[in-house]
Amino acid sequence: MNNIKNISIVFLVLIGLSFGSCSDDFLNEEQNSRYSTAYFDTPEGLEDLSVSLYGNIRWHFGFEWAYGITQYGTDEFTNANDLTNEMWNTYDNRLGPVGATTGTGAANGNATNPNALWDEMYYGIASANTIIAKAPTVITDVKVRNRVLAHGYFMRGYNYYRLTAQYGGVVLQTVPAQGVVRNFTRATEEQCWAQVISDLRNAYNLFEGEIYTYGKGITWTKATAAHFLAKALLFRSSERNNSWNSAYRTADYNEAKDACSYAISARGALTPDYNDLYSRWTGIDCPNEQLNEILMAAGHNGDAITSGRFGNRTYNYFSPQFSSFAGGWVARGVWIGSMDFQRCRPTEYSYAVYNHVNDARMWKTFKTVYGVTTLRTPNPNNVALGDPAVVMILNTKADNTYNGFTFGASVQNPTWKDVAGRLPAWGGASGARQTTTSGSLTTKVGQYAPASLVLYQNGTYVAPNFKATPICNFYAGINKTDDGSRTGERNDAHRDVIMARLAETYLLRAECYARLGQYGSAMADINVVRARAQWKAGENRSYYIDGSEAFKVNPLNTGTAATNFVNANLNMNTYYLSNPGQPVTTAASNLQLTSFPANLPAEDEAILSQIGASSDLDRALNFILNERTRELLGEYDRWETLSRTGTLIKRTKLFNPEAKFITAGKHELRPIPQTFIDGLLNEDNSNLSDAQKKAWQNPGY
C-alpha cells in the first residue's frame, strides 16, 4: 500500500506519561508529570515505564467498549432495552468508520467509537517501543533488562494482537517516534500476525518462569506470554486467514500446542471449584484474585489510580433491569453487587448450550433469584422483606411443566394486580434460608413472587416476552463482575478483571490437537475442563453466591444497608424449579466425554445440527466453541474468537435474532476509524483523494 502521513499523537511517547515507582504493589502507580522523557534514558525510568504498562490494560474495562467490541453481535449476547451500543449488536449502518452520535442515531452520547481501541492500543505500543529501543543499552543488569524487555515485548505483542484481531492489517510502528510522525504504511494482516507472534515469542523467551516480579497481584509471567503466543499462532492459521495462511498451519498448531503445554505444566491444576474464580469474591485483593489458574488480570483495588478514567465499570453491564421489572420490590444499592444497566442479554443459545442438570457452571454463573428489599403498597399477597422477589426458571425446550402457568414482570400502579401468579412446587416446606449444605430451594410452597420468568412454554422460547419495556429487560444475568465493595451505588468496582486463565489454555490446546487430527488428545484436554464443571459429591445444587458477598465486610454494611443485604441476597438459585422432577441430591455428576467428535452430548448435537456441522473437524471446532461458552461466558473475547474461526456470521445469524444486518465479507473486521484516515496526507502534504481513503478502509464500510 502507499506510504501515507498522519498528524496524530498516538505514536508519540508524551512527556507526562503516567508511570509508577517500583513499589510492593504494581497497582500503587502515581500519576506523575515531573519527569521529562530523559528519565527513560535511566534504568529506573525504564523499569518504571514497564510497570506503567499494567495501567494500559485497565482501559479495556473502563467504559461501554468493554462489552461493545467483545460481546455484542455474537451468538452469546444481544442487547436488552438499553440501546447505548445497539449498533455493535445489530450491525446496522450506524456501525461505521465515523462512529455513532446522538446526531446520527445513537441512543446517547456513550456509544463506542471505532477509534476507541485503536487510539488506546497505540498509546501502550508507544511506551513499549521506548522500552524495547532503550533497554538493551541503558540497563546493564541482565535480569532487570530481561524483565523490562519481556514486559515491553508482551505489551506490544498483546496490543497488536487486539488491533489485528479487530481491524485486520494495521500500521506497524515498532520504533519510538521522533516528534510528529507523518509517514506510515498499513501492513497486511499476514505482516501484523508475524509481528505479534515475534513479540510474544520474545516475551516468552525473556520472562523468567513464573516469578512474580512486581509485587503482589497477577503479574505477567512466562505462562502469560505462552498463552497469548498460542492464541496468536492459532489466529494466524485459523479460517479468517485461509486465503494466505496454508504454509503456516501445521507449524503454528504445533508451536501453539507446545506453548499451551508450558503454561499448563507451569501453573498446575485448575482451581477445584468454578465458584472460586468469580462468585466467591469477598473484597479487595481477596485470596481468590491470586489463584494459579489466573494468567492475566487487569488489576484494581481501592487506590485512586484504579478508579475514574481507568476504573472497573464492568459490574454495570450483565444484570437485567431488576429494579424496573420487579415493580420496585427490589431496589438498587451497593448491597447488590451489580447495577441493572441491562446491556448484555444472554441469547437462547447461551442457556441451551448447558446441560441444565449436570453442569454446575450454569448455576454458578447465572443469577436467578433476588430477594425483596422494599415493601410496596398495596400488598395483597403479604409479601415480606427477604421473600423471593425475582425468580427466573431456566427450564429446557422439552419441559412442559409450566405450559399452563402465567409468568411476567410486576406492574406497580394504582390498579396493580398480580401478573406473575404463584409458583408451583416452590421448594420445600421449610422457611429457612439457603446454606451451602441445605437441600432444595428452601422457602414456602406456592409462595408468591412479584416477578417471575420461564424460558420455555409449549416448546417455545418465551423468555423475551416477559418484559416491562419494548425490548426485553427481564433475563438471567451473569455474575462474573458483581462487586459488593463499592462505596457508592455507581462508584467503580474494586475487583480485578480476569483476562486469561488456564481453563482457556486447555481449550486452546484441545483446538490445536483437533486441527492436527489428534482427537483423543483433544478430548482429554476438554475433559479436564469438564471435570471441574461437574457437581462434586456433597454440593448443594441450589446454593448460589456472587461478589455481593464483599458487602459483608464493606464499611457501609450497617443499619438499613445491612438489612437490605440480607434481604437481597438469598443465596439460592432455581436449580430444582428449572429441572422439574429432579430429586434433591448432593451426588456428583458426570460430564466426561467418551467419544469425540462423534456422539456428543444432546445439547451439543442439537446446536451442531442447527449449524450443519458434519465433518469431524467442523464438529470438533464447533463443540469447542460451545465449551468456550460454557466455561468463558462473558469473558470479553467472543467476537474475536468467532471472527478468527470463520463462524461469526453463521452462528450470529442463527442464534442472535437482533443481529439483523450482519454481512459476510464485511463484519468479520471492524471499520478503520475515519478520524485516522482523515488525518492522512500524501508525501507532498496533499490530502488523500476519496479513492485513496477508500483503499485504506476495510471492505464494505
Side-chain angles (χ1 to χ4, degrees), residues 603-622:
E603 57 272 13
D604 290 286
E605 291 291 359
I607 291 167
L608 268 58
S609 177
Q610 289 179 270
I611 292 170
S614 56
S615 71
D616 281 352
L617 181 58
D618 204 15
R619 285 173 58 83
L621 294 181
N622 276 284

Side-chain angles (χ1 to χ4, degrees), residues 59-80:
W59 172 89
H60 294 284
F61 310 105
F63 205 55
E64 306 279 348
W65 50 68
Y67 68 90
I69 62 177
T70 60
Q71 311 284 16
Y72 264 9
T74 69
D75 51 0
E76 291 182 348
F77 288 100
T78 187
N79 57 271

Side-chain angles (χ1 to χ4, degrees), residues 318-334:
F318 293 100
S319 290
Q321 199 177 28
F322 53 82
S323 63
S324 174
F325 63 68
W329 295 95
V330 184
R332 299 193 307 203
V334 291

Side-chain angles (χ1 to χ4, degrees), residues 12-46:
L12 301 183
V13 178
L14 299 177
I15 295 175
L17 183 67
S18 170
F19 52 85
S21 60
C22 297
S23 64
D24 291 337
D25 184 351
F26 69 81
L27 291 179
N28 289 327
E29 301 166 24
E30 296 178 359
Q31 294 283 359
N32 203 321
S33 59
R34 69 180 183 270
Y35 298 119
S36 72
T37 52
Y39 183 56
F40 303 141
D41 291 322
T42 68
E44 296 80 12
L46 288 178

